[in-house]
Amino acid sequence: MLNLTIHTTTKTEQDKLDKTVTSLLVQETTSTSVPDLLREEVEEEGKVFCFFFVFIISRVDRPIMDRLDGSAHLIIVSDLDFTMVDHLDPDNLGLLRFNAMWEAYYRQDSLLVFSTGRSPTIYKQLRKEKPLLTPDIAIMSVGTEIMYGESMIRDEDWEQYLNKNWNREIVTEETAQFPELTPQSETEQRPHKVSFFVEKIEALKVIRSLSERLEKRGLDVKLVYSNETALDVLPKGAGKGQALAYLLEKFKIDGKMPVNTLVCGDSGNDAELFSVPGVYGVMVSNAQEELLQWHAENARKNPNIIHATERCAAGIIQAIGNFSLGPNVSPRDIRDFQKCKVEIFNSSHEVVKFYLFYERWRRAEVAKNMQTPKLIFFPFGTFVHPSGVEQSVNHCIDVMARLHGDKQGTNYRIWVDRVSSAQVGSDTWLVKFYKWESFGEERHGCLTTVLLSSKAEVPDGFTWMHMHQTWLEGSEPKDQTTWLF
C-alpha cells in the first residue's frame, strides 16, 4: 500500500490530480487490472489535503507498444557483452554513465532495446551481476526470442513465424556428424537456436559443409559465427537484424515509427543490425575483427555507421553526440551541478542528480559543508522507510550528515531505473522509479515514489516534498539502519 499526501487548492487541480495519479499507477498494472484508488479530503487553513490510499492488485507490464503515446524520439538497440557491458571495467563506470544519461533525458520519450546472444537464463544472471537498466524490449538468443518489459512477456507471433522450414531434430542429427563442434551449455540450446563452440581454424570448413547438408534435408537455416568461437544454427528468418526489422514494422503498423534508431554492437552476430534500412550504427572501439571486416566489405561508404573511439557504453554515448540524436553528456560527468546548468529541466533529471549527489556524499567526493540537501527538502516533509517506518525529513537530513564519507574509498554506487513521472498539479510532479545501491557483492533495491514541487524558492530546481519506499522482493539488506532516501 502506498500513502501519499498531496496539497491542492482548487477543484480543477483536485480533479486533474485524481486522473493523473490513476493514469500513472495504471502504467504499472495490466490493462485489465486497474488500481483501487481511495481519496479522502481534509480542509485546514484554506488548503485541501488529499490523502490517496492506493492498493495495486498486480504489477504486470502493459504491452510495450502502448507505453508511449506517440513515436519514440530514439530507440537504442544494443548488444550487451562488450557493447553495453564492459567486462574489463570492474567499476562499471561506462555503464553507470549511460544509465544516468538515459534515465535523466531519454526514458520518458524513448525506448531501450537489448539485443543479445544470451539466452533468458544467462541474461537474468548478467542483470544480477551488472547495473543494467530494465529494457523496454529484449531480443535474446541471437534474435530468436523477443520479450517485452520487466516481466519478459514473450512475442509468440515471432516464434510461430520462425517455425517455417525449421526442424530442430534434423539440426541436432546433422550437427552430431561434426566432431569439431562442441555443444554449448544446455541453457543456450533454445527452441530456435542450436549452439556450439568451434575453433576458428575449422569454422569456415564446418560452416560450408553443414550448410550444404541441412539444405539437402529441406531446411532454411542461418549459421552465425561470432567472437571467433561461437557458432549458432538458427532458422533462416531469425537473427538480430530480422528481429529488429520485425519490431520496426510493428511500430509502423501502429503509426508509431521511431524518429531515430541507433544500433550498437561489437561482434559478428551484430552485423545484421547495421543492415536494417534507415538506422544509425556504432561499432564500439573494441569491436572484433569479424565485425570490422564485415563493415569494410558491406558498409564502408555508409556515413550513418561509425567506428567509435570509445569502448562499450562510452562509445554509445559518443555516437549519440556524433549523430546529434539528443543530449550526450551524462549527469555522472558533471561534477558540480550548481555551476553547470543543463538545458533540460525536468523531474527525471532532478532524481538522477540528487542520487548522484547522495552517492558522492557517502563517498566523501563532495564537501561536508554543502547545503544542497537542506535547500531541496520541504522542512515538514516525510520519508517512509522501506521497512514502513515514517520519519521526518529533518531527522533524515541529520542522519545523512553523520553518514558523510562512510563509503569513502569503496566501490559504493547508486543508480535509478525505470524513472516515470506525471504532473499532478500546476507545480507538482509524482515520480516513480527503482533505486539501487551496490557495495561489494551486495545489491539492494526499492521501489521509490517521490512528490516534487517546482516552487519559486528553488530557482531552476525542485523541492522534495515526500518520499515513500518499499523493498523490491529479496533486496532488503540485513542492516537497514544506514539505508536513507
Side-chain angles (χ1 to χ4, degrees), residues 409-423:
T410 71
N411 59 352
Y412 174 76
R413 296 294 178 189
I414 299 177
W415 67 99
V416 295
D417 182 22
R418 296 188 71 183
V419 178
S420 60
S421 65
Q423 189 169 356

Side-chain angles (χ1 to χ4, degrees), residues 5-6 424 428-430 449-453 463-466:
T5 305
I6 302 176
V424 296
T428 310
W429 280 259
L430 187 66
T449 305
V450 298
L451 191 67
L452 301 178
S453 174
T463 299
W464 292 53
M465 306 296 289
H466 301 280

Side-chain angles (χ1 to χ4, degrees), residues 205-352:
K205 179 186 69 174
V206 170
I207 290 172
R208 185 182 296 115
S209 178
L210 177 59
S211 180
E212 291 174 355
R213 293 177 68 110
L214 291 172
E215 185 178 352
K216 287 181 180 179
R217 297 200 62 176
L219 299 189
D220 285 335
V221 300
K222 175 187 296 182
L223 279 69
V224 179
Y225 187 59
S226 58
N227 300 314
E228 299 184 348
T229 182
L231 179 64
D232 299 305
V233 185
L234 319 172
K236 192 169 186 178
K240 290 185 175 183
Q242 281 85 343
L244 174 57
Y246 166 82
L247 288 172
L248 291 176
E249 183 62 23
K250 289 185 73 172
F251 283 118
K252 182 179 179 180
I253 292 172
D254 289 346
K256 295 182 178 181
M257 195 66 176
V259 178
N260 295 298
T261 300
L262 173 65
V263 301
C264 322
D266 77 299
S267 69
N269 67 16
D270 299 316
E272 290 183 358
L273 289 173
F274 297 92
S275 299
V276 176
V279 304
Y280 295 99
V282 55
M283 301 177 294
V284 292
S285 69
N286 51 291
Q288 297 183 25
E289 183 60 34
E290 61 202 25
L291 180 59
L292 298 178
Q293 182 177 343
W294 173 89
H295 177 260
E297 295 173 356
N298 299 278
R300 182 169 52 88
K301 296 183 179 180
N302 186 344
N304 289 338
I305 300 177
I306 65 168
H307 185 195
T309 59
E310 300 282 347
R311 290 179 59 86
C312 300
I316 298 174
I317 296 174
Q318 180 184 359
I320 291 173
N322 181 86
F323 296 122
S324 300
L325 301 179
N328 71 318
V329 176
S330 171
R332 272 195 177 269
D333 297 331
I334 301 173
R335 302 310 302 176
D336 189 342
F337 289 104
Q338 292 180 328
K339 294 181 179 179
C340 181
K341 300 297 183 181
V342 296
E343 294 182 3
I344 297 180
F345 171 68
N346 61 36
S347 54
S348 298
H349 180 265
E350 172 70 18
V351 166
V352 172

